[in-house]
Amino acid sequence: MKRFLIALTALVLAFCCVGCGDTTEPDDPTPPAPKEYVYEGTPTAAPYTVYNEDGTTATEPFDNVFLAIRYAGSRATSSNAMPIKDANGLEVFRRAGTSDTWCFDGTNFVGKKKKTDAIKWAANRSRSYVVNGRGTGYAYLGSDDFTSIRHPEDVYELGSGGFSYLFTPSGEMNSNNTWKTHGYSYASAIVRLSEATYVDATYVDDTGATRNQWNAYIFFNIRGVDNCDLGIGTYAGGDGAWKITQNCSNIEHKNGVDPTPSFYVYQDQVVTKMTKDPETGIYSGADDLFIEAIGGIDTWTLKVTNLRTNQSFGYTHTHKGMNAACAFGNYRVITAASYCPVETPVWDPRAGGYIKNIVMEDVKVARFREDGDYSQEPKDEVWYGEDTIWVGFTQGADCAHLTFGTHEADGVYKSGNAYKKGGRYMSFSSYYDGTHIVD
């Protein structure tokens, strides 16, 4: 969790420095159709054996290549490069220089490349993994992009697994550097969590122990001067409970003024709960929700309503003068869903867990209002081809996916709530079980 939060803070701070934002729309406003993906390289086969330089085996073989690389990467030295071979004798890794990388397309081995060449290659291979030469982390991950503006490389969260983010633009400035149009400070969505399924991921730590500390999140991130994730999450060992969360970057969390940590789980606010099938290990059966997130002058506010029970949850979190210097024009919103590893930098894309089919409908945003009353404020739809999406991407598209869809006929969700023909929705998934939702 800590690594995820550090990476997320770096991402949102990077975007805080962006001024107006280019709102250029994609040439084609129609959501992209799924396309066939042909994997490059040589398929690898388990088991994967780590060797010492003298030819002896360093440990028991691994069932996937990423675990083997993680083991070797944490132990290899200049005198013992700890090469790794698959079941067919294909060498897929050995400790190399800092300018080198090892490239994979899914679990296919592509080869050793210089980092600059690897990044160019991976930019066109959405399901690729580029491992640094030492085997101590990812140097790049392939992605799917939903906008003609490609996301800046410095917003990559290489330690955070596969996820999808949709950024709104910031406000627009006049020529004299005053805000002509405020940015978006309000977001809302119906989250059809009843359609989602979830499985705990596991990983093997350096002692050989199996752990399951991956966390799934659904949230809006709102940024002014500071930024905050406002949403819900479910956690390994949490028995399928979805709880209210916040992740606030304000300095008061770090200097002791605010007693809560930067990332905080409201343990007493369980908004809905999934049920685990004891035979398959699959969690399902959550309720549908309505989520609202608001950035104010001094506040972050989250409101979550369970659409089955009509119960309300949330918080208002205050930092005096928090956004004053921003003049409220630079607000922007991220719509996001993710399933994040909480482990070493070489996280395991085959850890076995997933969160699939988080359906969001009626995703809306509104520009900043000083009075904080958005009940009657005109709202803009977050949708493919609309200028409410400035940058949109899925990082690590081998293990994450985002679909923009339109219902072809009237129907009913698993919750019993209805949908109408022509209704728009988005479906977020992150999965580490070797499947891909388009295939």
Side-chain angles (χ1 to χ4, degrees):
M1 181 184 302
K2 183 176 181 181
R3 184 171 293 109
F4 163 72
L5 296 170
I6 292 171
L8 181 59
T9 299
L11 181 150
V12 292
L13 287 177
F15 271 79
C16 191
C17 298
V18 178
C20 304
D22 184 347
T23 57
T24 303
E25 296 182 20
D27 295 331
D28 182 2
T30 304
K35 56 186 178 181
E36 181 182 6
Y37 188 92
V38 179
Y39 286 94
E40 185 180 328
T42 304
T44 60
Y48 301 88
T49 303
V50 182
Y51 292 91
N52 293 308
E53 203 65 36
D54 62 6
T56 61
T57 57
T59 186
E60 293 296 315
F62 292 88
D63 61 0
N64 81 58
V65 66
F66 303 104
L67 292 180
I69 291 173
R70 187 163 70 202
Y71 180 90
S74 65
R75 293 166 173 80
T77 65
S78 56
S79 60
N80 185 8
M82 301 191 83
I84 299 171
K85 295 182 180 180
D86 80 345
N88 298 319
L90 176 67
E91 184 173 290
V92 296
F93 174 83
R94 69 166 58 229
R95 188 179 191 268
T98 56
S99 64
D100 296 315
T101 66
W102 298 91
C103 298
F104 297 83
D105 203 10
T107 56
N108 283 11
F109 180 63
V110 175
K112 181 181 175 183
K113 296 178 183 287
K114 291 298 180 183
K115 184 176 180 180
T116 53
D117 295 331
I119 290 174
K120 291 177 183 177
W121 167 78
N124 296 306
R125 304 297 301 173
S126 64
R127 304 189 192 179
S128 60
Y129 303 90
V130 179
V131 180
N132 69 34
R134 301 292 176 87
T136 55
Y138 292 104
Y140 204 86
L141 296 169
S143 68
D144 279 332
D145 297 285
F146 308 113
T147 50
S148 57
I149 305 168
R150 203 167 189 277
H151 66 279
E153 293 176 6
D154 61 1
V155 308
Y156 260 35
E157 299 176 42
L158 297 176
S160 296
F163 58 82
S164 296
Y165 282 174
L166 300 174
F167 289 79
T168 67
S170 300
E172 298 180 5
M173 294 188 94
N174 292 306
S175 58
N176 63 356
N177 290 329
T178 61
W179 291 102
K180 177 173 64 176
T181 304
H182 286 166
Y184 292 106
S185 62
Y186 169 94
S188 65
I190 297 173
V191 180
R192 302 295 185 186
L193 201 52
S194 61
E195 296 296 301
T197 53
Y198 168 81
V199 169
D200 283 326
T202 60
Y203 76 97
V204 179
D205 68 15
D206 286 343
T207 69
T210 299
R211 302 184 184 277
N212 57 343
Q213 295 179 4
W214 292 46
N215 303 326
Y217 302 97
I218 304 167
F219 63 93
F220 292 111
N221 176 283
I222 300 180
R223 186 232 44 221
V225 170
D226 294 314
N227 62 80
C228 191
D229 295 341
L230 305 135
I232 58 174
T234 192
Y235 309 93
D239 201 26
W242 287 82
K243 299 177 180 180
I244 293 286
T245 63
Q246 70 169 36
N247 179 24
C248 178
S249 70
N250 189 273
I251 190 63
E252 289 187 358
H253 296 283
K254 300 176 177 63
N255 64 14
V257 174
D258 191 312
T260 63
S262 298
F263 180 84
Y264 187 70
V265 181
Y266 290 79
Q267 302 285 348
D268 58 333
Q269 296 198 41
V270 177
V271 299
T272 186
K273 191 172 182 179
M274 291 176 158
T275 301
K276 184 177 182 179
D277 184 317
E279 295 184 0
T280 65
I282 298 173
Y283 288 89
S284 62
D287 296 325
D288 293 342
L289 310 169
F290 179 63
I291 296 180
E292 291 181 285
I294 304 168
I297 295 174
D298 297 322
T299 59
W300 308 116
T301 297
L302 175 68
K303 301 176 182 178
V304 179
T305 302
N306 183 305
L307 296 179
R308 180 181 64 84
T309 65
N310 207 36
Q311 288 179 283
S312 295
F313 307 87
Y315 54 79
T316 293
H317 192 66
T318 303
H319 296 291
K320 189 67 177 176
M322 177 172 59
N323 291 311
C326 195
F328 317 113
N330 200 35
Y331 268 120
R332 67 95 188 94
V333 171
I334 303 174
T335 302
S338 64
Y339 191 12
C340 301
V342 186
E343 52 176 48
T344 66
V346 185
W347 47 269
D348 180 9
R350 297 298 182 266
Y354 61 75
I355 180 75
K356 293 185 180 181
N357 202 29
I358 297 171
V359 174
M360 288 191 183
E361 290 182 328
D362 201 31
V363 183
K364 296 291 181 64
V365 289
R367 298 187 183 276
F368 172 76
R369 288 181 58 100
E370 189 168 353
D371 63 8
D373 182 5
Y374 294 88
S375 58
Q376 303 301 317
E377 179 71 10
K379 298 177 180 65
D380 299 325
E381 183 180 19
V382 176
W383 185 253
Y384 183 85
E386 300 291 339
D387 62 11
T388 48
I389 301 179
W390 171 49
V391 171
F393 67 94
T394 291
Q395 173 187 280
D398 180 62
C399 52
H401 189 66
L402 170 60
T403 300
F404 296 85
T406 303
H407 293 298
E408 296 181 356
D410 293 351
V412 178
Y413 287 113
K414 294 176 182 177
S415 61
N417 293 311
Y419 57 83
K420 293 292 185 182
K421 179 180 178 180
R424 290 172 164 181
Y425 64 89
M426 295 184 284
S427 174
F428 293 80
S429 299
S430 294
Y431 36 88
Y432 305 90
D433 61 346
T435 65
H436 194 279
I437 204 165
V438 175
D439 294 342

